[in-house]
Amino acid sequence: MSRVLAVAPVLPGPAHPQDRIADVIAPLLAPDGPRRALTRRLHAASGVRTRHLVLPLGAYRGRSGFGAANADFAREGAALAERACRRALADAGVAPLDVDLVFFTSVTGVGAPSLDATLTDRLGLRADVRRLPSFGLGCAGGAAGLAHLHEHLVGHPDQVALLVSVELCSLTFQRDDSSTANLVSSGLFGDGATAVVVAGDDVAAPPGSRVPQVVGSRSRLYPGTAQHLGWDVRDSGFAIVLSPELPQLLRAHLAGDVKDLLAAHDLGPDDVGTWVVHAGGPKIVDAVRDALGLDEPALARTRATLAAQGNLSSSSVLHVLAATLADGDPPPGGWAVLMAFGPGVGVELALLRGGPEPVPAPVPGNTRGAAPDPATAGDPA
């Protein structure tokens, strides 16, 4: 197994009311008239009340072009990721030098070297840390990253891994593009980041902590659906591809995928008491509810996250996971299913089991996960 030692969600700047964002963004996307009025209606119907944006709201009036947006991503994304990682490592009681693997995911900016290389220097990670940057998984990247780290740690139980998601969706808004997909996305997506510390079974957890286990995972790619979700890469940057058929695709297939994940562990949907669902938008959440026959309380944290932050792409489900763990779910021994959906169309699922579990003693010579000695602790970076 692997264990989630800490989840640290972070958001940039203050929360902006949705109608204030519309005041600034709508004129940049559509000329005055019916399309601008449609922009405001779509923003109001998005299920989003507030969002955090990485730039001051007024700065979006003067931003254009892919190069400028990507430079903003490199600068602001690194700072946001560093905040998340420092908080997660501190909460987990893990020193930066004890991190063995970093999985970095984003679909809103690119770089070579990728942002995880910047983090290696800023955080003081080892020069031989393994790095796995990912682009293209989209909103499913956080769930997929958790699954990949779990599989690695099952084979390396004495190691610690760091999952880092950074999504600055506001930098992808396409100016002078009044397509319905662009108008919808301009009212739905927000900015944020998350860091998750995951450890193998031989790594000591902070004393007294409740550490949920990752038990298994499943990926599903639906053939012939690439046109439903993703990016159209233009000279102006990343233009969203967002099909209205996506919710129906989930209604048709999601229940079978979840049942297959659970059946591999001799479980069924009735055994699951906690659902950690990507806050993809009202219609996506409705589709999950309908496909799985869930009641609204099961999706309360997802809808609350959507309302307060918008869709944070790959970070969204990790923010919902943080809220879930903060509420004490899943309960001791209880089961949870985490899910997110991305381009492909792909579905990423992970099965978790709630703690507490006995905190193991460190293996000989291994103090990873142990709280640092206050007398010798310093800034590891």
Side-chain angles (χ1 to χ4, degrees):
M1 303 295 175
S2 64
R3 296 173 300 147
V4 178
L5 299 189
V7 182
V10 297
L11 297 164
H16 299 286
Q18 181 78 323
D19 57 356
R20 177 60 183 140
I21 295 175
D23 288 342
V24 174
I25 298 298
L28 306 180
L29 308 182
D32 197 12
R35 297 304 286 181
R36 189 177 297 181
L38 175 62
T39 304
R40 292 185 175 278
R41 292 198 301 273
L42 291 171
H43 279 223
S46 65
V48 179
R49 293 195 308 269
T50 59
R51 283 181 286 165
H52 295 250
L53 306 180
V54 74
L55 300 179
L57 191 50
Y60 290 91
R61 294 190 179 96
R63 310 303 284 181
S64 64
F66 177 56
N70 205 59
D72 289 337
F73 175 86
R75 181 186 67 255
E76 302 296 338
L80 203 60
E82 182 180 359
R83 275 178 53 200
C85 290
R86 288 193 182 278
R87 184 181 304 174
L89 291 169
D91 290 348
V94 170
L97 290 174
D98 282 337
V99 175
D100 300 288
L101 172 66
V102 177
F103 184 102
F104 169 70
T105 187
S106 181
V107 75
T108 53
V110 295
S114 48
L115 191 147
D116 48 289
T118 301
L119 286 176
T120 299
D121 289 337
R122 289 196 179 197
L123 296 173
L125 304 180
R126 299 197 315 268
D128 67 345
V129 68
R130 297 289 184 109
R131 298 184 296 113
L132 185 58
S134 166
F135 180 91
L137 290 168
C139 296
L146 186 63
H148 283 299
L149 294 188
H150 166 68
E151 292 174 358
H152 174 84
L153 293 167
V154 167
H156 301 82
D158 62 338
Q159 291 193 0
V160 175
L162 184 61
L163 168 60
V164 186
S165 163
V166 177
E167 300 291 10
L168 306 184
C169 304
S170 69
L171 300 178
T172 69
F173 297 158
Q174 296 293 292
R175 295 191 62 155
D176 302 316
D177 178 356
S178 60
S179 65
T180 300
N182 192 47
L183 301 186
V184 168
S185 69
S186 74
L188 180 62
F189 288 92
D191 298 340
T194 320
V196 185
V197 179
V198 191
D201 280 343
D202 291 346
V203 178
S209 62
R210 193 173 69 83
V211 285
Q213 293 178 313
V214 182
V215 178
S217 65
R218 180 176 174 82
S219 298
R220 176 72 187 277
L221 189 65
Y222 302 137
T225 63
Q227 74 278 9
H228 289 307
L229 184 63
W231 290 134
D232 176 15
V233 182
R234 304 173 180 172
D235 291 343
S236 58
F238 300 134
I240 196 162
V241 176
L242 187 62
S243 169
E245 297 178 30
L246 185 58
Q248 189 53 40
L249 187 67
L250 295 179
R251 283 188 175 91
H253 298 289
L254 182 61
D257 298 330
V258 170
K259 288 177 182 176
D260 288 344
L261 168 71
L262 295 173
H265 301 274
D266 297 320
L267 299 170
D270 290 343
D271 295 307
V272 178
T274 303
W275 300 89
V276 184
V277 178
H278 166 55
K283 293 182 179 179
I284 295 298
V285 181
D286 289 349
V288 172
R289 178 197 62 200
D290 297 345
L292 300 177
L294 302 179
D295 56 19
E296 275 299 320
L299 298 165
R301 281 182 287 254
T302 294
R303 293 201 191 273
T305 300
L306 178 66
Q309 303 169 189
N311 181 341
L312 303 182
S313 191
S314 68
S315 261
S316 177
V317 75
L318 301 179
H319 278 241
V320 178
L321 175 61
T324 301
L325 298 180
D327 287 343
D329 285 329
W335 296 99
V337 172
L338 179 147
M339 66 183 71
F341 324 105
V345 170
V347 174
E348 296 289 338
L349 303 167
L351 179 64
L352 287 74
R353 192 168 196 183
E357 58 182 354
V359 176
V363 297
N366 176 20
T367 60
R368 296 178 179 188
D373 182 349
T376 59
D379 184 354

